[in-house]
Amino acid sequence: MVQNRYKRIVLKLSGEALAGGQGFGIDSSILQRYAVEIKKVVENGTQVALVVGGGNIFRGVEGEHSGIDRVQGDYMGMLATVINAMALQSVLESIGQFTRLMSGIRMEQVCEPFIRRKAVRHLEKGRVVIFGAGIGNPYFTTDSTASLRAIEIEADVVLKGTRVDGVYTADPEKDLSATRYSNISFDEVYRQGLNVMDMTAFTLCKENDLPIIVFDMNKPGNLLRVVQGEKIGTLIQ
Ligand code: UDP
């Protein structure tokens, strides 16, 4: 098998991706497929940390319309990510992949607190580390969590698995003439106002020279291909 290009990665999976076609909740067949793909990447020699979103269950800004205070809503969103993380952890372990779930909010009964050195140690031992509860603070997103944790654990790259196969000149679901970038610089993304991840997350990557790859996680085998260095999706650096 082709050797993996990256030694340590952070893979960001949105809550929406876990919901599959149903748009809400967790699609168990998607979890199963993601787990198998993640395990293959580990077996081929890469340390994998995961950041999961919570948009399939709750987002802080959504609550504002129903009388839920923004900060309260954000904490609800963070707890939603823990539900997704626990599901993913279970499915990974059911196929024999050791994992550790680390949370940005203390909840010892279900996960370890996030401690950077411990996270690195788990990764070195071949465990998949899942970061739940975001960074533990309101007004942030799980994209920012992926960027921050990647910098902290010195990952080589942030992989953003989405349902689109990269960054386009315009929204490819609305504009048929949109074309995909295979490579683009951070500055160009700013100039063109392209939507890669939220600006806080994006700026953290830029300021710390951390490359981002946006790719289609729903195409079977894509995750391993990206990690092996195949040029699919869009590389931002
Ligand atoms: N959230 C937060 N701080 C964090 C991470 C997440 O407040 O560090 C909240 C925020 O309300 C967010 C929700 O959790 O909307 C779910 O995360 P996100 O929207 O990033 O999930 P995704 O869009 O990836 O499914």
Side-chain angles (χ1 to χ4, degrees), residues 153-196:
I153 65 168
E154 297 177 338
D156 303 314
V157 64
V158 173
L159 302 183
K160 186 165 158 134
T162 65
R163 54 198 171 102
V164 199
D165 64 346
V167 180
Y168 279 75
T169 50
D171 184 348
E173 285 173 354
K174 290 182 192 143
D175 182 350
L176 290 177
S177 67
T179 53
R180 180 172 62 83
Y181 294 99
S182 54
N183 268 288
I184 187 168
S185 67
F186 284 102
D187 287 336
E188 197 56 30
V189 169
Y190 282 124
R191 252 196 301 278
Q192 310 254 1
L194 300 170
N195 187 18
V196 174

Side-chain angles (χ1 to χ4, degrees), residues 34-104:
Y34 283 1
V36 169
E37 297 216 8
I38 290 163
K39 185 167 185 255
K40 277 193 193 140
V41 168
V42 178
E43 284 168 349
N44 205 38
T46 294
Q47 299 173 9
V48 179
L50 301 173
V51 172
V52 272
N56 55 325
I57 301 171
F58 197 82
R59 278 204 183 95
V61 279
E62 283 163 14
E64 286 184 313
H65 311 295
S66 46
I68 299 171
D69 165 77
R70 170 66 195 266
V71 173
Q72 182 89 337
D74 278 343
Y75 279 110
M76 290 167 69
M78 287 182 252
L79 297 183
T81 72
V82 178
I83 293 176
N84 286 331
M86 289 172 74
L88 195 55
Q89 174 176 42
S90 250
V91 176
L92 277 163
E93 299 219 319
S94 76
I95 60 165
Q97 174 58 58
F98 291 111
T99 65
R100 287 293 185 272
L101 173 53
M102 300 191 120
S103 170

Side-chain angles (χ1 to χ4, degrees), residues 12-16 53-56 58-61 73-75 77-78 81 133-143 145:
K12 159 74 206 293
L13 298 170
S14 72
E16 264 169 26
N56 55 325
F58 197 82
R59 278 204 183 95
V61 279
D74 278 343
Y75 279 110
M78 287 182 252
T81 72
I135 60 171
N137 290 100
Y139 293 100
F140 286 92
T141 62
T142 49
D143 278 356
T145 309

